[in-house]
Amino acid sequence: IFTISLILGTTITISSNHWIMAWAGLEINTLAILPLISKSHHPRAIEAATKYFLTQAAASTLLLFSSMNNAWYTGQWDITQLTHPTSCLVLTTAISMKLGLVPFHFWFPEVMQGTSLIIGFLLSTAMKFPPITLLYMTSPSLNPTLLTTLAILSVAVGGWMGLNQTQIRKIMAFSSISHLGWMAIVISYNPKLTLLNFYLYTMMTAAVFLTLNSIKALKLPTLLTSWTKSPALNTVLLLTLLSLAGLPPLTGFLPKWFIIQELTKQDMAPAATVISLLSLLSLFFYLRLAYCATITLPPHTTNHVKQWRTNKPVNLSIAILTTLSLALLPMSPM
């Protein structure tokens, strides 16, 4: 029931023209994911669900307020007709809260840490899709300077705060924040690039999360001993992480390349330079994850329990997603 409600809420939001319908879809989404977050009944999971509920409720209220404000001044309830400047400002705030863009990012790593890997994956991809479609539809009327500022801050904070983490879900949360920065910087110039970036990011994150889920790794020390379980999977995890970091022959380079190109076309070379340099920060923690997963071998000084080697074959979806997140760069001319 909850999964169907998630799909339903997302579909309502992305296919609506009227602000109230979009808001209703977002609310259905929030209410459907809450039981999934708190499914383990661990105090940490309940706390995560509460934090998630409070931020999303506040964001939905702001979204409703901005659309009502716009309707009050212009008489338009159409999503694409959001023209009043105050409404645009409030909407940008609301969507930033929904997505976890800096400075509204505090809830996201905490919620990710409190829940399981699969629900964490849903939170960082599927739950970001409806707000991104709303941004896409309202992108012509939003303030580019504000979005660029939020974006650069997001990439910076996502990189810096991820450096010191040992918990994999928190690292993935900060990686998600910096990727959202890349999406937000280009939304007012070329919204299609934002969607492309989102799709590729979803694919690569899916590959990483499913791999981590199959080796049951939640923190870096478990990742250190996981290479005995399925060596091939860990080796490919190294490449998928580098693809998330955006290194050239892999898929993750494609959206970054296009976004930098678009920014230089718009005479925003300084912004492009800054955002590229800041993404080196997140490259560092991807490299550390990759280092723990593949490059180092025991014996270590730390004590940890050795894991049993399992003979279960690697999931087909992991194989497909990983292949896609490594080899899609040649599609760039299309």
Side-chain angles (χ1 to χ4, degrees):
I1 290 177
F2 294 131
T3 318
I4 291 171
S5 306
L6 268 181
I7 298 168
L8 174 75
T10 308
T11 315
I12 289 177
T13 302
I14 63 180
S15 57
S16 59
N17 290 315
H18 196 288
W19 272 113
I20 298 288
M21 284 299 283
W23 170 79
L26 288 171
E27 286 295 304
I28 293 173
N29 250 355
T30 306
L31 293 177
I33 196 98
L34 284 174
L36 297 177
I37 296 176
S38 56
K39 199 172 74 172
S40 65
H41 296 300
H42 190 276
R44 198 62 201 275
I46 309 289
E47 181 191 349
T50 313
K51 283 177 180 166
Y52 186 78
F53 172 71
L54 291 172
T55 45
Q56 298 297 314
S60 292
T61 315
L62 277 176
L63 181 117
L64 199 56
F65 171 66
S66 80
S67 50
M68 280 172 65
N69 196 30
N70 188 61
W72 178 262
Y73 279 105
T74 62
Q76 280 289 348
W77 277 104
D78 196 349
I79 292 184
T80 48
Q81 304 288 329
L82 190 80
T83 46
H84 193 258
T86 318
S87 299
C88 292
L89 198 68
V90 177
L91 180 86
T92 313
T93 313
I95 301 271
S96 311
M97 281 177 78
K98 281 263 174 217
L99 290 172
L101 277 173
V102 176
F104 309 103
H105 64 287
F106 296 102
W107 61 273
F108 188 49
E110 302 290 325
V111 172
M112 286 280 277
Q113 186 52 37
T115 179
S116 69
L117 279 169
I118 294 296
I119 306 298
F121 159 61
L122 278 182
L123 281 175
S124 55
T125 55
M127 302 303 291
K128 304 283 166 90
F129 186 44
I132 281 189
T133 51
L134 290 179
L135 264 189
Y136 178 84
M137 289 192 275
T138 54
S139 58
S141 49
L142 298 176
N143 180 356
T145 323
L146 175 67
L147 282 170
T148 309
T149 315
L150 289 180
I152 290 178
L153 280 174
S154 293
V155 180
V157 169
W160 263 308
M161 291 180 73
L163 293 181
N164 213 10
Q165 305 291 338
T166 56
Q167 297 286 343
I168 294 176
R169 285 165 295 185
K170 273 197 172 163
I171 294 182
M172 292 309 289
F174 287 118
S175 117
S176 177
I177 291 171
S178 59
H179 273 276
L180 283 166
W182 278 91
M183 291 174 219
I185 199 165
V186 80
I187 187 92
S188 39
Y189 306 110
N190 191 344
K192 287 196 169 57
L193 274 187
T194 299
L195 286 187
L196 173 77
N197 192 347
F198 180 75
Y199 297 146
L200 293 179
Y201 161 73
T202 303
M203 202 173 60
M204 297 182 290
T205 312
V208 171
F209 267 109
L210 290 173
T211 307
L212 291 171
N213 190 50
S214 80
I215 53 186
K216 298 280 178 284
L218 292 177
K219 50 185 188 293
L220 292 179
T222 19
L223 206 53
L224 283 167
T225 54
S226 66
W227 64 278
T228 49
K229 290 176 79 173
S230 47
L233 190 59
N234 268 34
T235 314
V236 173
L237 176 63
L238 161 84
L239 290 171
T240 317
L241 285 164
L242 293 184
S243 178
L244 259 179
L247 290 188
L250 307 165
T251 309
F253 178 58
L254 173 75
K256 286 189 166 49
W257 179 24
F258 280 165
I259 287 172
I260 290 172
Q261 190 184 2
E262 181 64 36
L263 290 177
T264 40
K265 274 184 199 164
Q266 302 285 347
D267 290 337
M268 289 174 64
T273 313
V274 169
I275 204 169
S276 313
L277 287 174
L278 287 171
S279 68
L280 289 175
L281 291 166
S282 42
L283 172 65
F284 178 82
F285 60 74
Y286 290 126
L287 271 177
R288 199 173 63 181
L289 270 174
Y291 188 77
C292 287
T294 317
I295 305 168
T296 48
L297 298 180
H300 288 292
T301 48
T302 51
N303 291 328
H304 41 58
V305 182
K306 277 280 189 289
Q307 302 194 328
W308 284 97
R309 183 192 272 260
T310 47
N311 279 335
K312 67 171 191 214
V314 172
N315 199 330
L316 181 66
S317 55
I318 299 183
I320 294 172
L321 285 165
T322 309
T323 313
L324 287 177
S325 37
L326 299 185
L328 274 188
L329 190 65
M331 80 164 194
S332 49
M334 302 192 299

